[in-house]
Amino acid sequence: MAEKKDEMTASKKLSGFLDKNKKVFWILLIVVVCAVIGFVCGQAFGSSAKVKDLGKIDLISYELTNDSASLSSEELNTKRDATIESLNAFTSKVGVVGVRANLLTAELYFQKEDYESAVKYYEAAAKKGKTSYTSPIANYNLGVCYENLNNLEAAAEAYKKASDDENYILRTHAKFSYGRVLETLGKYKEAFAAYNEVNDISPDDDWAKLAKTRALKLQLEGKTE
């Protein structure tokens, strides 16, 4: 009996509390519902904005390449500059939009042989797309830029990052380039190891065959001890 009485008392208390505070609960419910709607709309808007931005980048890229074959070097360079300026609105963005804008900008600077500027945008692309398939592409191109700038230490690091990605389609090329730069730096033991890694990745690959030749040469010269 006491338990039933307590249950009834508790039930009445709860009922009274809910009745007195029903306005508060309705407000809270409305706030929660609005928050959920806002989140869903935000996601939809974010997705829509991303699609629009990618469309704009595609259009910029098309305008760059359309009828460019007939342009003189000076005219093409002017067109590249205009494209870079158009891409500035997207290079600071995150995600795939930022990655694509930075990759395209970097490529344009590379074509202009402005390797220092290309490095800046390849680095941004690699950072923004760390888990994307574009990351090793950006890192490999970074290696090429750094070699053109005669910064071989940075080039080796960039090639290594690219070659460490198991899904990179040019992995053997990147690993060979890593070994080649190490050899140029006089780091023969590390180069020898890198060349052997190329063979481990894909023994029948053309880069693996070239790597075997380089590794054998280092060995015969006594540089692997």
Side-chain angles (χ1 to χ4, degrees):
M1 288 293 291
E3 290 179 0
K4 288 183 179 181
K5 187 176 180 180
D6 289 341
E7 287 175 5
M8 289 178 64
T9 302
S11 178
K12 285 181 180 180
K13 287 181 179 179
L14 178 59
S15 178
F17 176 78
L18 291 173
D19 187 58
K20 289 179 181 179
N21 296 279
K22 60 184 178 182
K23 289 184 179 180
V24 176
F25 284 108
W26 276 112
I27 292 171
L28 288 173
L29 180 61
I30 291 170
V31 170
V32 171
V33 171
C34 287
V36 172
I37 292 173
F39 175 77
V40 172
C41 289
Q43 291 290 93
F45 176 77
S47 177
S48 176
K50 179 174 71 175
V51 170
K52 286 181 180 178
D53 284 344
L54 290 174
K56 289 176 183 177
I57 292 173
D58 285 340
L59 181 59
I60 291 170
S61 179
Y62 171 77
E63 289 175 346
L64 169 69
T65 56
N66 187 40
D67 297 328
S68 292
S70 60
L71 298 179
S72 65
S73 297
E74 186 178 345
E75 289 172 328
L76 187 55
N77 209 39
T78 299
K79 203 170 187 180
R80 288 184 185 125
D81 288 337
T83 303
I84 289 170
E85 187 174 347
S86 297
L87 289 169
N88 282 340
F90 306 99
T91 53
S92 61
K93 292 183 179 289
V94 297
V96 64
V97 173
V99 171
R100 286 184 60 178
N102 279 283
L103 277 176
L104 183 51
T105 302
E107 177 62 24
L108 292 171
Y109 275 121
F110 186 89
Q111 291 174 10
K112 286 163 60 67
E113 298 184 4
D114 183 351
Y115 302 116
E116 288 186 0
S117 295
V119 161
K120 174 185 173 183
Y121 290 96
Y122 277 132
E123 284 182 340
K127 185 177 180 180
K128 289 174 183 288
K130 282 183 180 179
T131 59
S132 169
Y133 74 94
T134 57
S135 181
I137 297 172
N139 280 315
Y140 179 83
N141 289 337
L142 263 176
V144 177
C145 288
Y146 278 128
E147 274 203 86
N148 278 290
L149 292 169
N150 202 32
N151 187 344
L152 298 185
E153 292 286 353
E157 184 180 351
Y159 285 137
K160 185 178 187 305
K161 285 181 180 178
S163 67
D164 284 345
D165 191 316
E166 295 180 0
N167 297 315
Y168 184 36
I169 193 170
L170 298 178
R171 190 183 180 199
T172 53
H173 188 179
K175 184 67 75 173
F176 177 84
S177 296
Y178 174 54
R180 174 178 55 74
V181 173
L182 288 174
E183 185 178 353
T184 303
L185 287 167
K187 298 181 178 182
Y188 303 119
K189 290 182 181 179
E190 293 93 328
F192 181 72
Y195 288 142
N196 285 327
E197 285 176 20
V198 180
N199 184 62
D200 292 339
I201 294 170
S202 182
D204 297 324
D205 187 271
D206 287 340
W207 291 107
K209 293 173 183 176
L210 190 56
K212 286 177 187 176
T213 301
R214 297 303 307 169
L216 181 61
K217 182 175 183 296
L218 289 175
Q219 199 167 25
L220 291 174
E221 291 174 352
K223 294 178 177 178
T224 62
E225 300 299 325

